[in-house]
Amino acid sequence: MNSLPMRRVTALDLRVTPWSWPFARARRAEIDAHFLERQRAKPKMWNGRVLLARDLRFAEAGLAADYFETDFASFLAWRDWGYPDKEVFNVPGMGALRASDGAFVLGEMAPHTANAGRIYFAAGTPDPSDVKDGRVDIPGSVAREAEEETGLTPADYRAAPDWCCVDTGPMLAMIRTLHADLPGEALRARIEANLARQSQPEFSAIHLVRKRGDLTAAMPRFVTAWLEAQLSA
């Protein structure tokens, strides 16, 4: 069983603050070379802008953090090199889609993505489009990622009021359950039909998890840890 620290929160105060990342400045040439190497293997990989976090603070039922903007190449190098800057964290929001029959619906990342073959909830590292009035709109980010990756909109599910923060060290995954009214097989068929209409979908396959025996090594630790806490057997 994967045991990771988890904390439930209902309030988020996620501010965006101007900050120049020392890691990205000091290792710029190495980072650019690393990204070019990764891009040669996956030509559709794009060096866009993302938001990472620092100074995470829990208080009662809330989480506060300071986010800053950087390029995807710096994030990828930091991740691939074993997270050398321990003061920085990846803090994304994730939508754990749950069918009306209790099945959780996850997607397998497509071959062209940076996480090819891994099985995740609908999620993504926040980017500048998620910033509203100087704060990161994580609920909006989750809704955007869910629609981009599955075709489902907030009209298709009910979002839980709270978040479960799963701490892996370099990542704090903020997971919110999205309750759908369709059973698992119907949800999978609907999402697969949506993927078939896309020229470059982020998911290459859809997986249903009903019990712990459905968990696989392709799922990251934070995913299996959270699912184990939801599943009885």
Side-chain angles (χ1 to χ4, degrees):
M1 178 182 293
N2 285 322
S3 179
L4 290 173
M6 299 185 197
R7 186 160 180 167
R8 197 166 298 279
V9 301
T10 55
L12 303 176
D13 182 12
L14 311 175
R15 306 184 183 199
V16 179
T17 57
W19 191 63
S20 179
W21 193 7
F23 164 79
R25 293 199 316 271
R27 303 187 67 176
R28 187 74 260 161
E30 295 172 82
I31 289 168
D32 291 342
H34 178 71
F35 185 76
L36 286 174
E37 182 180 353
R38 292 293 305 270
Q39 198 174 45
R40 277 194 290 270
K42 297 180 184 292
K44 295 179 180 178
M45 192 179 293
W46 178 60
N47 188 21
R49 306 296 291 179
V50 296
L51 300 172
L52 298 180
R54 59 197 184 98
D55 194 18
L56 306 185
R57 308 174 298 279
F58 284 103
E60 297 181 357
L63 168 67
D66 295 327
Y67 282 74
F68 65 95
E69 184 177 335
T70 190
D71 62 319
F72 181 72
S74 295
F75 162 68
L76 191 65
W78 172 71
R79 190 197 72 177
D80 290 353
W81 297 343
Y83 310 99
D85 186 345
K86 306 303 182 186
E87 302 301 315
V88 167
F89 306 90
N90 183 20
V91 187
M94 303 184 176
L97 184 62
R98 190 164 205 180
S100 60
D101 58 5
F104 287 97
V105 184
L106 292 84
E108 181 175 334
M109 299 303 292
H112 70 271
T113 67
N115 298 306
R118 302 288 271 167
I119 299 173
Y120 285 92
F121 305 120
T125 299
D127 65 43
S129 71
D130 297 315
V131 178
K132 306 291 187 246
D133 299 322
R135 285 173 165 76
V136 184
D137 177 16
I138 287 294
S141 177
V142 167
R144 174 178 61 79
E145 292 288 349
E147 184 168 2
E148 290 177 359
E149 296 178 357
T150 69
L152 300 177
T153 72
D156 298 309
Y157 54 77
R158 300 176 307 284
D162 55 357
W163 303 82
C164 181
C165 298
V166 185
D167 185 359
T168 73
M171 172 187 277
L172 185 74
M174 295 184 291
I175 302 175
R176 164 181 265 184
T177 305
L178 308 178
H179 297 279
D181 290 328
L182 291 175
E185 291 296 346
L187 266 180
R188 173 156 60 185
R190 179 170 171 179
I191 295 170
E192 287 175 341
N194 177 71
L195 297 178
R197 292 191 292 269
Q198 298 182 32
S199 59
Q200 189 175 296
E202 290 192 50
F203 288 157
S204 60
I206 301 300
H207 299 264
L208 299 182
V209 173
R210 301 180 185 277
K211 57 186 184 302
R212 292 183 180 180
D214 295 330
L215 304 179
T216 76
M219 299 171 186
R221 277 200 315 137
F222 67 86
V223 170
T224 55
W226 187 85
L227 284 170
E228 284 169 348
Q230 316 306 312
L231 301 170
S232 59

